[in-house]
Amino acid sequence: KEGPQIAHGQSCTTECGTGYLPSAESLGCEFGVLWPETFSCRKVCMATVGSTATYRDPDALPPGTLTLGAPACVEGATLPTGSSCETVCAEGYVPSEATLSCSEGLLSPSQFRCDLGKPCGSPQFVMNARVVSCAEGIQLDHDSACTPQCLPGFVPTEPQLHCYHSVLSPQTF
């Protein structure tokens, strides 16, 4: 990157073409010998929002939540061949795949979905509760609340239950 020659005691930054990463970040020069002596350019995979991570209805996301081209992996958008990464979605969304792998510039799987957090079922078989135990219905959306419903003459032990990624908290009333 710095030029065709390197002075003794200096180093240069290695570069590769688009879609490749160098095996060494830099080369140093000691008494006319490069260290390391050589480097290679390895294919990489790109994991970004919009191409790798897709949302069913991106217009429904709150403003500023989704940036096209942003990294789709916790480790970043560029994965070297032979590596894997943990997938990431916007707050409140769950990736359909937990990890992606990169082999010779190809991601596996090539795409994943970011789905709205998983719903919860309302508690079943709660003593002295109505058949549909939540006022909101038998299924609760991710990050929503359940208002417990008891039979006449009974009072719930919890004022609300909260659904987060298919888990109610507390689990019953």
Side-chain angles (χ1 to χ4, degrees):
K1 183 176 185 175
E2 286 79 7
Q5 293 187 357
I6 307 167
H8 168 73
Q10 299 295 309
S11 64
C12 70
T13 306
T14 56
E15 285 187 324
C16 294
T18 304
Y20 292 83
L21 277 178
S23 58
E25 286 185 29
S26 64
L27 302 178
C29 180
E30 294 293 325
F31 302 107
V33 179
L34 289 177
W35 189 84
E37 292 180 4
T38 186
F39 71 97
S40 60
C41 292
R42 299 177 296 185
K43 286 186 178 181
V44 295
C45 297
M46 296 302 294
T48 58
V49 172
S51 61
T52 308
T54 60
Y55 289 78
R56 179 168 291 136
D57 187 7
D59 296 331
L61 291 167
T65 302
L66 180 65
T67 304
L68 292 178
C73 293
V74 171
E75 298 81 355
T78 307
L79 283 79
T81 287
S83 69
S84 61
C85 74
E86 180 184 347
T87 56
V88 65
C89 292
E91 180 72 32
Y93 287 76
V94 179
S96 61
E97 301 288 335
T99 59
L100 301 175
S101 298
C102 177
S103 177
E104 294 305 314
L106 298 174
L107 277 177
S108 179
S110 61
Q111 287 191 322
F112 67 94
R113 285 181 331 278
C114 290
D115 298 319
L116 192 57
K118 296 178 181 175
C120 301
S122 63
Q124 296 182 348
F125 312 112
V126 177
M127 189 176 293
N128 301 315
R130 294 187 181 201
V131 174
V132 177
S133 59
C134 294
E136 294 75 13
I138 59 172
Q139 185 167 318
L140 304 163
D141 290 334
H142 163 73
D143 206 17
S144 67
C146 160
T147 307
Q149 295 189 111
C150 291
L151 294 172
F154 294 91
V155 178
T157 56
E158 298 290 337
Q160 274 194 334
L161 311 177
H162 189 257
C163 173
Y164 195 78
H165 294 297
S166 76
V167 177
L168 272 179
S169 180
Q171 294 181 341
T172 191
F173 60 93

